[in-house]
Amino acid sequence: MNVDAKSMAAATIEFRVFLDQNSLAAAASERIIQEIRDKPDLVMGLPTGRTPLLTYRKLVEAHRRGAVSFSRARIFSVDEYVGLGAADPGSFAHYMARNLYQHIDVPPQNTHIPDGRSPDPQGEAARYESLIEQSGGIEFMMLGVGRNGHIGFNEPGSAPDSRTRVVELSQETLAANSADLPGRDLPRQAITLGLGSILEAQRVLVIAAGPA
């Protein structure tokens, strides 16, 4: 599916402002819970980074009190560092397991992320894009915004019709994410959903918090 300017112009856009990050996370988690209640086998895209952490904690709390089940949901991560595998504590696969998947009832086979250890990163990007298409496309996607405005790892200036691909990370992004791998150099490349891939999601929730 291609997203053209006309369909984007027809999209409904809603802005909400919250007094603090706790209120933002509560609203974001409630939206995700409602999406899953409406469609238990929801195909969704989820981000990494600092911004969604509190939202994930609230989802875990909701699951523990029986307010939501992820047993039929299918989740696609937005990006992964090239060269890092799921066992690496700096990888986004490890991040998602540590902060969400280990604490909810989503089946491992229903969670997906690009393979950062693939010997063919470009081919892995194409495989991942195809896997999303085979799943019927992403119905609901949550995203954060990087300090320099990047979405996923689409740095400023990325083409609006870009597809899942390997990207070079900017110095600003590398500096902002340096805490992910203390004492080590971050990979300089990542596999990310493209802006065109992201815009094909039926519904998109973008969250941003803090002075950065």
Side-chain angles (χ1 to χ4, degrees):
M1 179 176 68
N2 294 319
V3 179
D4 57 26
K6 183 176 180 181
S7 61
M8 289 177 63
T12 299
I13 301 175
E14 176 187 0
F15 291 93
R16 296 181 65 187
V17 179
F18 300 90
L19 293 178
D20 53 52
Q21 191 164 352
N22 188 67
S23 301
L24 166 65
S29 63
E30 288 167 7
R31 173 62 186 274
I32 293 171
I33 290 168
Q34 189 58 55
E35 289 277 346
I36 294 175
R37 286 175 177 167
D38 291 342
K39 193 173 189 295
D41 60 346
L42 182 73
V43 179
M44 60 180 168
L46 292 179
T48 54
R50 297 174 185 87
T51 304
L53 280 174
L54 188 52
T55 298
Y56 292 155
R57 291 189 196 124
K58 290 186 178 295
L59 288 175
V60 170
E61 292 168 2
H63 171 68
R64 286 175 174 168
R65 65 174 183 266
V68 63
S69 171
F70 298 84
S71 62
R72 294 172 58 194
R74 291 168 288 170
I75 305 175
F76 288 86
S77 290
V78 174
D79 43 29
E80 179 60 283
Y81 290 114
V82 169
L84 300 190
D88 193 306
S91 71
F92 287 151
H94 193 272
Y95 167 104
M96 292 302 296
R98 182 176 68 250
N99 292 299
L100 186 61
Y101 298 156
Q102 291 176 355
H103 311 288
I104 60 175
D105 60 343
V106 63
Q109 65 269 23
N110 285 10
T111 64
H112 307 281
I113 192 165
D115 180 4
R117 294 297 300 274
S118 171
D120 178 12
Q122 294 287 1
E124 172 61 13
R127 182 200 69 82
Y128 197 64
E129 176 104 2
S130 178
L131 182 61
I132 292 174
E133 292 177 0
Q134 292 168 23
S135 298
I138 293 175
E139 297 165 303
F140 173 81
M141 178 175 290
M142 183 172 75
L143 297 164
V145 181
R147 291 188 180 185
N148 65 351
H150 67 250
I151 297 289
F153 269 136
N154 294 282
E155 300 283 14
S158 294
D161 60 351
S162 56
R163 313 305 303 180
T164 303
R165 68 203 190 285
V166 176
V167 294
E168 300 288 334
L169 303 180
S170 71
Q171 287 299 324
E172 187 172 4
T173 295
L174 290 169
N177 290 7
S178 60
D180 293 342
L181 286 174
R184 296 166 55 188
D185 291 333
L186 277 176
R188 305 187 70 84
Q189 292 183 318
I191 299 172
T192 184
L193 293 183
L195 291 177
S197 309
I198 288 169
L199 288 171
E200 289 183 355
Q202 295 177 22
R203 297 173 299 284
V204 178
L205 172 66
V206 180
I207 59 175

